[in-house]
Amino acid sequence: MTAFMIGLAVCVGSAAIGGEAVIRSESRLAFARGEKDAKIVLSVRNDSTQDWAAVTLTTPFGVKDLGAIGSGRHMKAAFDIETRVKPSSRPFVAKADIRTAAGEKLSAEESFAVLIGPRLTPGTMSVALTDTTKAQWDMAKDMGFTKVGNAYEVGGGARRETIADGGACEGLIRTIRDRHDEALSKGLRTGINSRGVLLPKDYDHHFTRKTRDGKLVDGNAHAKCAIEFGHPDALAYVRKVSEENAADIAEHPGMDSLYPSSEVRDKSKPSFNTEHLRYKAETGRDVPEGVEKRKYDKKKAREAHPDGIVPDDDPILAYYRWFWKDGDGMSSYLKAQAAPYSAIRGRGDDFYTMWAPAVRCPPLWGSGAGVDAIKSWSYAVPDAMNVGGVTEDLLTMAEGCPGQLVIAATQLIVYRRTAAPVAQKDVRPAPAWLSKFPNLNFLAIPPDVLRETTWTMLAKPVFGVTFYGAGCVDKPQEGVYSGEWGYKATCPGLDKTMYDLNWNVIRPLGPALRKIGRERPKVAVLQSFTTCIMGGPCMWGWHEPAVSLLQRARLDPRV
């Protein structure tokens, strides 16, 4: 049996003679070409009822004397691996020669394979395809992507059970490392989604957001906005979970990113669980009356400020500035998850922590702290250049956190209601997808729109680009947005356009584009936090029509 993963207490890639001797892998068996200090760790376990006096483990990488191994015990041995070879699968046999305390001789053999995967050229622009299954990874590689969607979501299982129930969850750890091994062997990278690290099973509403009268915000403990991210116990909990998760999985080079949160902060609302106490402790003030939702009531704001002028020290404005900076705890929550991984892997092309969609919040300088990179996806229809405006929002947010990276992103879908309303029945000639998916809610974008959107993203100084919706460029996969809400390849030729853009534009030009700076802008678009909070227009990271318009005038506007 071949094994490509770790198995802390699980007999993976193991063989036994008479049920007595077991050889297993205790480390990953996949490495990037040229990886330094590469090692594999194998162990021999004594499953017999007698002690062993001497054990020798022989592999093509060397021979190790493991000494005596008592009944029910095991010993490990590390072997150096040469990775300066062509990408390949390198099968090998490990043999254990055993002498029991009674002088009996035993032996056990097991077959493994070391995987050497292609390395990514330093400075390569990350180009990711999300919502992929493992069955689509070869397609993604052939199409020119360097990164595929997150290999697994941890937190709901990997170490959450360790804290709650004392279980080690080796099975999930094994699955994660197996997927990272496979991605690495194909020359791809993938990430980990830790957004499931929210609440322990028995939280009993302890960490949840509450209204002034003690009720759950929106009445739903499991809503995305339910958790009070700045709750001291919540931060301690997710930090502990992440530290244990990171210790098990962070070192794998096939894992290039951690994704701690998605579509949460835009639904964040003031809380009176512990949040109001932190506001009092930090500012000396109580939360003003009238603060209930994510922004102030428009009618009340106009009554309080009929001339439209709001003093900078207005109590309502001051509270919301505190709330959206990190009063809601989001930045602290992100950092609590990200820091343990960054402590092991650092930050750079090989690994980064990321938050998306980061700009679905009021425009406030530096409010995206806590992670290495920020990202927000946009929709290319009806305005393909809208992604440029959202990316400018990201670039401005990142300026408040020096060194923070920006990733531009677009969906490969358009909402059906926008492009082909269901109520419009008599369509001639009918597109091929209409009879097969009559109730489909998403349609794939046209190839020309994809080109315009991609060039708009590349025109910005970004670290990487992401395309959401593997099913739009490949046959749909079960379990990944299947059914009426699925990503479907409804637009012929989109896959060929994606291939062309990756191989002929992004891959060759990406390294240079990452280094090219920007000229001083001639025009900028003002986004006012005060206007947004006090009832005026606010984009919430969805669209930037002014930026899009000015881009078409070749003015390269900033926000």
Side-chain angles (χ1 to χ4, degrees):
M1 178 180 177
T2 300
F4 304 135
M5 29 54 64
I6 191 169
L8 294 177
V10 181
C11 299
V12 178
S14 59
I17 299 297
E20 296 180 344
V22 178
I23 306 173
R24 64 185 178 187
S25 62
E26 296 281 1
S27 67
R28 61 183 171 96
L29 297 176
F31 303 89
R33 184 184 184 188
E35 184 177 338
K36 296 180 180 180
D37 302 321
K39 298 179 184 295
I40 62 169
V41 178
L42 302 178
S43 69
V44 178
R45 190 178 71 201
N46 181 354
D47 273 359
S48 70
T49 58
Q50 58 180 320
D51 294 338
W52 294 341
V55 179
T56 301
L57 183 60
T58 303
T59 74
F61 315 111
V63 179
K64 295 294 178 72
D65 182 4
L66 302 184
I69 303 179
S71 175
R73 307 297 294 272
H74 71 277
M75 292 293 290
K76 301 178 183 180
F79 298 87
D80 294 330
I81 301 297
E82 177 58 71
T83 62
R84 292 171 297 179
V85 296
K86 290 183 178 180
S88 60
S89 175
R90 302 167 62 191
F92 72 93
V93 174
K95 180 181 179 182
D97 292 304
I98 303 160
R99 179 170 56 84
T100 69
E104 182 183 5
K105 291 185 177 181
L106 301 173
S107 67
E109 291 186 354
E110 177 55 295
S111 296
F112 299 90
V114 169
L115 296 174
I116 305 298
R119 63 182 176 185
L120 296 180
T121 303
T124 297
M125 176 174 282
S126 172
V127 51
L129 180 65
T130 72
D131 308 297
T132 56
T133 65
K134 288 207 304 179
Q136 293 174 313
W137 286 6
D138 283 326
M139 175 274 295
K141 175 187 175 183
D142 294 341
M143 200 169 285
F145 290 97
T146 66
K147 178 180 173 64
V148 287
N150 297 316
Y152 214 88
E153 178 168 321
V154 300
R159 282 298 184 179
R160 180 170 174 172
E161 299 301 319
T162 302
I163 296 174
D165 303 327
C169 297
E170 291 93 346
L172 181 54
I173 296 168
R174 180 172 66 249
T175 298
I176 292 170
R177 291 192 172 178
D178 180 44
R179 293 185 181 185
H180 285 149
D181 274 3
E182 185 168 347
L184 187 65
S185 71
K186 297 178 184 297
L188 295 168
R189 299 296 182 267
T190 185
I192 282 293
N193 186 337
S194 70
R195 60 186 176 181
V197 185
L198 293 178
L199 305 169
K201 293 191 300 185
D202 57 350
Y203 66 96
D204 193 26
H205 310 320
H206 181 57
F207 300 157
T208 50
R209 292 190 172 277
K210 295 182 180 179
T211 61
R212 287 181 185 269
D213 56 2
K215 297 179 180 179
L216 295 177
V217 170
D218 292 338
N220 185 357
H222 296 283
K224 285 187 175 182
C225 62
I227 187 172
E228 190 178 82
F229 295 110
H231 193 298
D233 294 344
L235 292 176
Y237 172 77
V238 298
R239 188 179 297 110
K240 185 175 182 180
V241 171
S242 291
E243 285 173 353
E244 297 202 18
N245 279 337
D248 284 329
I249 62 179
E251 60 85 26
H252 202 303
M255 174 185 173
D256 74 343
S257 58
L258 176 78
Y259 189 17
S261 175
S262 178
E263 295 188 282
V264 173
R265 199 183 197 190
D266 50 333
K267 298 175 178 63
S268 189
K269 297 178 182 178
S271 173
F272 295 86
N273 185 346
T274 65
E275 195 173 273
H276 66 303
L277 300 177
R278 286 191 292 111
Y279 182 69
K280 177 75 170 182
E282 293 177 20
T283 67
R285 298 189 292 265
D286 292 320
V287 177
E289 290 296 326
V291 169
E292 301 291 344
K293 299 181 179 181
R294 63 179 184 174
K295 62 179 183 177
Y296 194 49
D297 181 79
K298 182 177 181 178
K299 182 178 180 181
K300 291 180 180 178
R302 288 186 173 179
E303 290 175 350
H305 308 284
D307 58 0
I309 298 176
V310 182
D312 194 53
D313 60 352
D314 179 84
I316 295 289
L317 182 61
Y319 168 78
Y320 277 108
R321 190 181 293 114
W322 174 88
F323 177 81
W324 284 111
K325 187 72 173 182
D326 190 29
D328 68 340
M330 175 56 75
S331 293
S332 297
Y333 171 76
L334 295 173
K335 186 176 181 179
Q337 292 189 60
Y341 289 84
S342 297
I344 294 173
R345 293 291 301 276
R347 192 201 85 166
D349 286 4
D350 295 332
F351 182 81
Y352 54 91
T353 57
M354 175 183 63
W355 169 38
V359 290
R360 289 191 190 171
C361 59
L364 186 61
W365 189 264
S367 59
V371 290
D372 301 323
I374 52 176
K375 176 175 73 173
S376 273
W377 60 85
S378 181
Y379 292 84
V381 176
D383 182 6
M385 296 190 78
N386 181 57
V387 67
V390 174
T391 304
E392 287 295 344
D393 285 347
L394 289 167
L395 291 167
T396 301
M397 175 182 272
E399 286 180 6
C401 302
Q404 195 170 57
L405 305 171
V406 168
I407 299 173
T410 186
Q411 289 277 354
L412 293 176
I413 57 166
V414 53
Y415 278 87
R416 171 83 176 273
R417 63 176 181 265
T418 301
V422 176
Q424 191 174 345
K425 300 294 185 181
D426 188 17
V427 180
R428 299 180 184 178
W433 59 264
L434 190 57
S435 59
K436 189 175 182 180
F437 308 115
N439 298 314
L440 193 62
N441 287 289
F442 301 144
L443 305 177
I445 62 176
D448 58 338
V449 173
L450 174 61
R451 287 188 181 279
E452 186 175 358
T453 300
T454 301
W455 279 107
T456 300
M457 292 191 293
L458 295 178
K460 309 297 181 181
V462 295
F463 170 76
V465 292
T466 298
F467 299 89
Y468 282 81
C472 293
V473 292
D474 186 49
K475 58 185 178 182
Q477 302 290 315
E478 290 298 324
V480 180
Y481 293 99
S482 56
E484 296 178 0
W485 292 96
Y487 288 115
K488 310 288 187 184
T490 61
C491 193
L494 189 64
D495 55 341
K496 295 180 180 178
T497 301
M498 191 79 262
Y499 179 97
D500 177 60
L501 287 168
N502 281 340
W503 286 115
N504 296 321
V505 179
I506 302 175
R507 295 294 291 269
L509 298 181
L513 292 174
R514 282 184 53 184
K515 295 181 179 180
I516 295 176
R518 308 180 81 182
E519 294 182 352
R520 185 177 178 84
K522 297 179 180 179
V523 63
V525 175
L526 173 64
Q527 286 192 11
S528 168
F529 177 81
T530 302
T531 300
C532 179
I533 289 300
M534 305 304 277
C538 190
M539 301 298 102
W540 291 90
W542 285 98
H543 52 88
E544 287 292 350
V547 174
S548 182
L549 178 65
L550 292 169
Q551 284 176 153
R552 294 184 183 281
R554 300 177 182 271
L555 289 174
D556 189 25
R558 310 296 160 81
V559 170

